[in-house]
Amino acid sequence: MPLAYLRDRPDLFPLLAQWIWDEWGHLLVQRSAQEFEAWLRTAKRGPGVPTTLIWLESGEPVGTVSLESDDMEIRRDLSPWLASLYVVPAHRGRGLGRALVQAAVEEARTAGVPTLYLYTPGQEGFYTALAWERLETSAYCGVPVTIMRRRLAR
């Protein structure tokens, strides 16, 4: 599988931070892509939680997904989280999102995580098809979101 840990590709921190900021900056506590990049660099980003996986094709990044200990200020009682699933628009529709989610689930399972959470402002159907279940709906940063979970069998 063409996956790498972000810790092994530190040259990609600025690019991935910009992708995530452009897509979800309105839901992040950081105030800029640069501030988000600095936060991203504070964790090891290798195996376990937290981590960031990158999908590479011909050595070029085309998608990413993360596992975070804390991803939602209003639900700090839930942990850990699948977060920041992103596939470059030109590479969408080929199953890379599904593959990235599965890779993150396996990473969490290997780390001994019993239940994984996520929130989504509009992709509930995508995650339901991947065995996630709706936990609740909420508003986060003024945006309606669905909080979902996936129980990981050992």
Side-chain angles (χ1 to χ4, degrees):
M1 199 180 295
L3 285 171
Y5 290 108
L6 181 55
R7 75 154 187 214
D8 297 332
R9 291 291 310 267
D11 58 307
L12 296 178
F13 272 104
L15 177 64
L16 269 60
Q18 193 65 57
W19 284 353
I20 295 164
W21 180 261
D22 289 347
E23 195 74 20
W24 299 289
H26 62 289
L27 295 171
L28 300 174
V29 297
Q30 294 81 14
R31 295 186 190 131
S32 68
Q34 295 76 21
E35 190 176 310
F36 178 74
E37 179 186 341
W39 172 83
L40 197 60
R41 287 179 182 272
T42 62
K44 63 179 180 151
R45 301 284 152 199
V49 178
T51 196
T52 297
L53 299 169
I54 309 161
W55 189 280
L56 301 166
E57 289 190 356
S58 301
E60 294 299 314
V62 297
T64 186
V65 67
S66 293
L67 294 173
E68 302 293 348
S69 297
D70 179 14
D71 193 41
M72 196 175 203
E73 288 189 329
I74 64 171
R75 289 307 308 264
R76 293 196 180 215
D77 57 311
L78 303 178
S79 182
W81 296 79
L82 181 129
S84 305
L85 173 64
Y86 180 82
V87 175
V88 172
H91 293 272
R92 293 178 184 167
R94 300 178 23 223
L96 297 182
R98 284 189 305 277
L100 281 162
V101 169
Q102 274 309 113
V105 165
E106 288 307 311
E107 184 78 21
R109 186 176 282 125
T110 299
V113 171
T115 305
L116 195 54
Y117 300 90
L118 66 79
Y119 72 90
T120 178
Q123 297 297 320
E124 183 178 350
F126 171 80
Y127 291 106
T128 299
L130 296 175
W132 292 77
E133 62 182 334
R134 179 166 27 138
L135 187 61
E136 64 188 57
T137 56
S138 188
Y140 188 56
C141 298
V143 176
V145 298
T146 301
I147 300 172
M148 304 183 81
R149 73 177 167 204
R150 179 151 175 202
R151 295 181 184 179
L152 309 182
R154 296 196 111 194

